[in-house]
Amino acid sequence: MSAAPAHRPAYVADDVDLLGVAETIADDWAALGVRGSFLARHIDTGEQLGFAVDEPVPLASVVKVPLALVVLDRIATGELDAARPVTVDPSTSSVGPTGLAAFRHPATVAVGDLLHLMLSVSDNAAADALLDLVPVADVDAHLRAWGCSGIRMRHRLNRMYECAAGAVGNDFSLALELAIRDDLSGRHTIETLDPAHANLGTAATLVDLLRRVWQDGIAHPEATAELRRLMGRQVFTQRLASELRADTLRWHGKTGTFLHLRHEIGVVEAAGGDRVAMAALTRSDRRANLAPDIDLAIGTSARHAFEALRH
């Protein structure tokens, strides 16, 4: 009996050469046991390449980008003061390895600096402190009002850890096993990995959000300008940005990592004027917390896509 044919994702590409690049990226990911979505779009020409771009995926920390936009819009319209002090207490705040989430003592930080921590080092405690000021339901309603119906915010960041701990206790290696098993079966033990309950998005809707942010076509212009600045401060460069480091290029991005999820969205700007928005949303079959070869493959994908789309 012959083997079943390999699954081929639905591709998007504006010509045969761009299609070839998309197919190469998908093949490279599959060879590493990576499933997911990829889209790269030239912001000014609209040319694009990618695959599985309409597949809804739990976003992990990528959701901090639309959250930041809503908060920044509140600041720009005068509904929220960027200088407002907020005290974050580690005994009650969200968990995480960076920023205020890793603090051992209470700290008071201004709203504007919570945004900086959330986007530069992906601080979960900063994100949930902002959600105390602009609740989840308000963020989701803003996104719908702006026509971003393919991006959903349904829960706080700490909810991811609460749901994993509720399923496995403190054994996050078992949580990783469950995430991989459930992703293949479609029956999710960890609620925040279930597309019906997760903070959710697709490569297509995320890239379109970035396009609108870079063209000042959503929210208040002061909000989009500040979001672009803050995304340029991200310290993590191991994924999409890893092969786009040059004096003539500037990267603005946001990663998202949880169990088997390794994501990033962002925009690369070239000194010559080219601007390309990208989204890489991946799930792996790898039972490991660290996978530098997967990160490198994501970076290689970004370089190939940028080189194919630039003029």
Side-chain angles (χ1 to χ4, degrees):
M1 182 180 293
S2 61
H7 171 71
R8 285 179 57 83
Y11 291 96
V12 295
D14 286 328
D15 61 41
V16 67
D17 292 332
L18 296 179
L19 175 61
V21 174
E23 290 175 331
T24 297
I25 293 170
D27 289 346
D28 289 346
W29 286 16
L32 292 174
V34 173
R35 302 179 307 283
S37 312
F38 180 81
L39 180 62
R41 180 185 299 156
H42 196 291
I43 288 175
D44 300 298
T45 69
E47 292 178 297
Q48 62 182 1
L49 65 92
F51 51 88
V53 301
D54 294 317
E55 181 179 357
V57 179
L59 292 181
S61 286
V62 166
V63 80
K64 293 168 181 172
V65 172
L67 166 58
L69 183 60
V70 173
V71 175
L72 287 165
D73 191 62
R74 287 277 183 95
I75 293 170
T77 57
E79 300 172 67
L80 187 61
D81 184 359
R84 175 176 172 174
V86 176
T87 298
V88 178
D89 186 341
S91 67
T92 58
S93 71
S94 305
V95 300
T98 58
L100 297 169
F103 279 24
R104 299 175 59 190
H105 307 287
T108 300
V109 182
V111 167
D113 292 326
L114 289 174
L115 284 159
H116 187 278
L117 287 167
M118 180 176 73
L119 293 179
S120 63
V121 298
S122 202
D123 184 348
N124 291 332
D128 283 346
L130 291 169
L131 287 168
D132 289 335
L133 303 175
V134 185
V136 166
D138 288 2
V139 175
D140 199 52
H142 267 76
L143 293 172
R144 291 197 301 273
W146 287 335
C148 304
S149 58
I151 304 172
R152 298 298 309 274
M153 185 154 202
R154 294 171 168 145
H155 61 78
R156 295 164 66 87
L157 274 295
N158 206 48
R159 181 67 179 159
M160 295 188 298
Y161 296 89
E162 291 171 345
C163 287
V168 301
N170 292 324
D171 188 353
F172 271 67
S173 62
L174 177 56
L176 178 58
E177 293 273 352
L178 289 176
I180 294 169
R181 183 202 70 185
D182 294 350
D183 198 57
L184 295 171
S185 70
R187 300 174 63 182
H188 297 277
T189 309
I190 300 171
E191 182 181 86
T192 49
L193 294 178
D194 184 344
H197 301 282
N199 292 331
L200 202 72
T202 68
T205 54
L206 290 163
V207 163
D208 192 57
L209 175 67
L210 293 173
R211 176 190 63 80
R212 294 174 70 186
V213 168
W214 255 254
Q215 294 181 330
D216 291 326
I218 187 172
H220 194 284
E222 289 181 11
T224 50
E226 180 65 0
L227 181 55
R228 293 192 295 268
R229 187 187 75 84
L230 290 172
M231 289 182 68
R233 299 299 182 99
Q234 179 179 232
V235 302
F236 305 119
T237 58
Q238 74 272 26
R239 291 185 187 149
L240 287 174
S242 62
E243 294 199 24
L244 294 173
R245 297 174 183 169
D247 290 343
T248 57
L249 300 177
R250 179 168 175 77
W251 176 253
H252 310 73
K254 181 71 199 76
T255 57
T257 308
F258 186 67
L259 298 176
H260 68 320
L261 305 177
R262 294 177 177 86
H263 303 331
E264 187 168 12
I265 66 172
V267 173
V268 58
E269 298 178 340
D274 290 299
R275 306 183 297 175
V276 176
M278 302 186 191
L281 309 176
T282 78
R283 292 106 62 210
S284 82
D285 297 334
R286 187 84 52 85
R287 286 159 174 80
N289 290 317
L290 299 177
D293 55 336
I294 294 177
D295 290 336
L296 180 60
I298 293 170
T300 302
S301 303
R303 175 172 56 81
H304 288 326
F306 178 66
E307 289 175 348
L309 290 168
R310 72 185 306 181
H311 290 271

